[in-house]
Amino acid sequence: RAGEVARLLGDGDAGVRESAVGALVRMGAAGEAHAGEVARLLGDSDLGVRESAADALVRMKAVSVTHVATLLGDSDASVRRIAAEILGSMGSVGEARAGEVARLLGDGDAGVRES
């Protein structure tokens, strides 16, 4: 069932993608298995989808921290900034990635450095 919902993360309608993110969060462990797919939505063209994905990843802490940390090296500055903010809001789970976040202090984008 979670796999069927995860397929909707690629739907052409932003509302469907956003709803799919919320459904995966409510599915608990079954939905958390798709944290990597949710993390990719941090680069979505729709702000609502990006915000839903960010919120979901914070809720999925333990399973999503690795997926979020990989986005610190994304080519899109806004994705790097969001990833740093998410890790910062994960408490002790995110603190384990503090060294990776600290490297962003030298980022070429001011918004990323300030996050």
Side-chain angles (χ1 to χ4, degrees), residues 63-109:
V63 297
S64 70
V65 69
T66 301
H67 298 293
V68 174
T70 63
L71 296 172
L72 294 173
D74 195 272
S75 61
D76 184 330
S78 66
V79 172
R80 292 192 306 276
R81 181 185 53 75
I82 293 168
E85 290 173 359
I86 291 170
L87 289 171
S89 68
M90 287 183 166
S92 62
V93 173
E95 285 176 17
R97 302 297 183 140
E100 294 168 72
V101 173
R103 275 183 250 162
L104 293 179
L105 294 173
D107 196 276
D109 184 274

